[in-house]
Amino acid sequence: MEKGYKIIDRNVRFSRECEIDIIAKDNNQLVFVEVKTRKSLNAGHPFEAIDRRKIQKIYHGVLKYINEKDIKNWRIDAISIIGTTSPKIEHLKNIGID
C-alpha cells in the first residue's frame, strides 16, 4: 500500500496447492504477490523459498484467475520480510517462469 497499490484480495486459494497471498492493482496492472517471511536469515533468505516449482504453482492459479476475468495486463511479484520488530522488506517485480 505504501507504493500506491490497491489491495483487491488476500489469501486467494485456487487449489490445494495454489494460494495467492495478495492480489493488488498497480495503476492499470493487476499484480499477484507471493509473500515470504523469516524471523532471521538462519533458515535462508525468504526468496530462496520461491523456487521454480512454487512459481509454476502460482502461475497456474494466476492463469485460471485471469482467464475467468479476462485480464490482459498482469504480473507476478514477490515480497520478502525479514525480522519482526524492525522488519527489512524487499520487493521483486515481475518474477516468473523462464
Side-chain angles (χ1 to χ4, degrees):
M1 289 189 302
E2 289 177 13
K3 292 189 175 196
Y5 290 41
K6 180 182 178 202
I7 305 295
I8 305 294
D9 213 342
R10 295 174 199 223
N11 303 318
V12 178
R13 184 168 294 283
F14 293 100
S15 69
R16 207 172 39 172
E17 294 183 350
C18 179
E19 179 180 359
I20 305 293
D21 296 322
I22 298 171
I23 300 175
K25 196 87 158 150
D26 179 20
N27 294 316
N28 65 341
Q29 191 169 48
L30 199 62
V31 183
F32 300 87
V33 184
E34 176 67 13
V35 180
K36 290 294 181 192
T37 61
R38 299 284 184 270
K39 291 181 183 178
S40 71
L41 293 175
N42 292 342
H45 194 283
F47 287 145
E48 293 173 13
I50 307 173
D51 58 10
R52 184 173 182 80
R53 193 171 130 239
K54 178 68 175 173
I55 292 173
Q56 286 176 330
K57 288 179 183 181
I58 294 167
Y59 188 73
H60 289 296
V62 167
L63 287 179
K64 182 176 181 179
Y65 188 92
I66 65 171
N67 287 331
E68 286 176 1
K69 301 197 182 281
D70 195 32
I71 294 173
K72 306 285 186 232
N73 193 11
W74 60 275
R75 70 174 193 260
I76 301 172
D77 289 4
I79 293 177
S80 78
I81 303 170
I82 303 167
T84 53
T85 52
S86 295
K88 179 182 176 189
I89 300 171
E90 294 178 73
H91 181 186
L92 294 178
K93 290 184 177 183
N94 206 27
I95 67 168
I97 298 173
D98 299 345

